Amino acid sequence: MGSTRKIALALLFVLIVGLIGGCGGGGQAGGGRDSNSLTIGYIEWDEDVAVSNLAKVILEDDLGYNNVDLKLLEVGPVYQGVANGELDAFLDVWLPTTHKTYWDQYKGQVVDLGRWYEGTASLGLGVPDYVKAQSIEDLNDYRDEFGGEIIGIESGAGIMRVVDEQAIPGYGLDYNLVASSTPAMLSQLSQALENKQPIVFTAWKPHWMFLSYDIRYLDDPKEEMGGSEELSAIARQGLEEDSPQAFQLLDNIDLSEKQLEELELAISDAGDPEQGARDWIKDNRDVVESWLPS
């Protein structure tokens, strides 16, 4: 009787473990993932803040996801996170130039969701309209005026690599590239404009800075800044099977240049990315409806 009882208890234990593994956690998917929770990696570029918060709000408010976590990282760790499955998606892939290094390394380990931005993206060196320099080639002639510094953003950003490895040597510039952050760079730009001081800084389009400030790109005759680019998104392998509605939404998002500019401005005006995204959604409900999974 003792042996039979031990066998029965062992079978009961196996059954309980199986039930817990199959039913626990509010719906698990793909290796223990919660199918109602997602993690989207993002970088501190305004278009990524905008589209990531837009996706988060729609996923939670329209598709019923319990928690969509936005994780701020440097660009390299974002690609690595999507490739190893720690992140579900990244919505700000710049190709063919800015993120080429990361794309070459990780493209075989992620799912390409294609373009979500209909406009043309580009990188450049920006200046206020009132400075005399017209081209990147002119910068050495105005070195004292600009203090020999190009004000940059996060050190790991693709534009920093392009300026450091292509623009500076390509034009033979006697300048230091100063790493900071996107908010810090924009703060310095705003201060310089207020005091009508010269400044040269890393800039990119799409970005609301070109709508809000009287600034321009320096001409780039050698195209060292890489020319035009496309913005697309990537997802981790297995996301479509684990969370098909989320995958479909991320694959469906499609913004025109005007729509993205208005979204970025709504976020800037609101002072809160989620609230700005909700404000934009109210005015563009028909657009959002067209993205929702059928």
Side-chain angles (χ1 to χ4, degrees):
M1 289 293 293
S3 175
T4 302
R5 185 177 181 183
K6 285 180 181 179
I7 293 172
L9 287 172
L11 289 172
L12 179 61
F13 175 77
V14 170
L15 177 61
I16 292 170
V17 169
L19 287 171
I20 292 173
C23 301
Q28 299 291 317
R33 284 182 172 271
D34 183 349
S35 61
N36 283 320
S37 296
L38 296 166
T39 303
I40 297 174
Y42 77 103
I43 57 178
E44 207 169 17
W45 282 28
D46 286 71
E47 78 282 346
D48 196 18
V49 173
V51 73
S52 297
N53 277 275
L54 178 64
K56 170 183 171 67
V57 170
I58 298 170
L59 285 163
E60 291 180 345
D61 293 359
D62 288 280
L63 298 183
Y65 282 82
N66 294 333
N67 178 51
V68 179
D69 180 35
L70 300 185
K71 191 169 186 178
L72 177 62
L73 295 165
E74 294 286 339
V75 65
V78 173
Y79 274 90
Q80 184 179 29
V82 178
N84 65 25
E86 291 179 3
L87 301 174
D88 291 294
F90 172 50
L91 309 180
D92 202 26
V93 175
W94 282 64
L95 291 173
T97 302
T98 306
H99 292 168
K100 182 180 186 302
T101 301
Y102 306 110
W103 185 250
D104 289 346
Q105 182 176 357
Y106 295 112
K107 63 184 177 182
Q109 304 170 55
V110 300
V111 178
D112 183 5
L113 298 178
R115 292 178 65 179
W116 59 265
Y117 176 58
E118 295 174 6
T120 299
S122 61
L123 304 178
L125 292 181
V127 293
D129 283 344
Y130 52 74
V131 304
K132 294 179 181 178
Q134 298 297 315
S135 168
I136 299 176
E137 289 181 315
D138 298 337
L139 285 178
N140 281 337
D141 296 334
Y142 296 96
R143 188 181 186 282
D144 290 342
E145 183 179 340
F146 290 112
E149 291 185 342
I150 298 169
I151 306 304
I153 55 171
E154 296 78 11
S155 59
I159 192 172
M160 296 292 281
R161 176 185 57 79
V162 171
V163 173
D164 189 45
E165 297 179 7
Q166 296 174 211
I168 289 177
Y171 286 99
L173 300 181
D174 185 18
Y175 275 71
N176 294 319
L177 176 61
V178 180
S180 59
S181 68
T182 301
M185 181 273 287
L186 290 169
S187 176
Q188 284 188 255
L189 170 60
S190 180
Q191 230 173 8
L193 290 165
E194 187 176 339
N195 298 314
K196 210 166 184 180
Q197 295 173 334
I199 184 174
V200 57
F201 54 94
T202 53
W204 59 95
K205 295 179 181 179
H207 195 280
W208 59 263
M209 71 175 97
F210 286 94
L211 295 175
S212 299
Y213 301 134
D214 292 326
I215 59 175
R216 56 181 164 82
Y217 276 155
L218 289 171
D219 292 338
D220 180 17
K222 296 182 180 181
E223 294 192 350
E224 295 290 356
M225 294 301 296
S228 62
E229 302 207 53
E230 295 181 355
L231 304 187
S232 58
I234 56 175
R236 67 170 174 84
Q237 293 179 350
L239 179 64
E240 185 173 14
E241 292 75 25
D242 296 342
S243 300
Q245 285 197 312
F247 182 91
Q248 193 62 59
L249 172 71
L250 298 178
D251 195 34
N252 287 349
I253 290 176
D254 184 53
L255 290 168
S256 68
E257 183 174 355
K258 183 172 183 288
Q259 288 168 338
L260 181 56
E261 288 174 349
E262 290 174 346
L263 172 61
E264 288 187 358
L265 281 175
I267 288 173
S268 180
D269 290 344
D272 175 77
E274 283 192 47
Q275 184 56 52
R278 285 193 170 91
D279 293 342
W280 184 89
I281 289 170
K282 286 178 186 176
D283 295 332
N284 295 272
R285 190 66 223 175
D286 56 334
V287 176
V288 173
E289 292 289 342
S290 72
W291 301 338
L292 298 179
S294 53

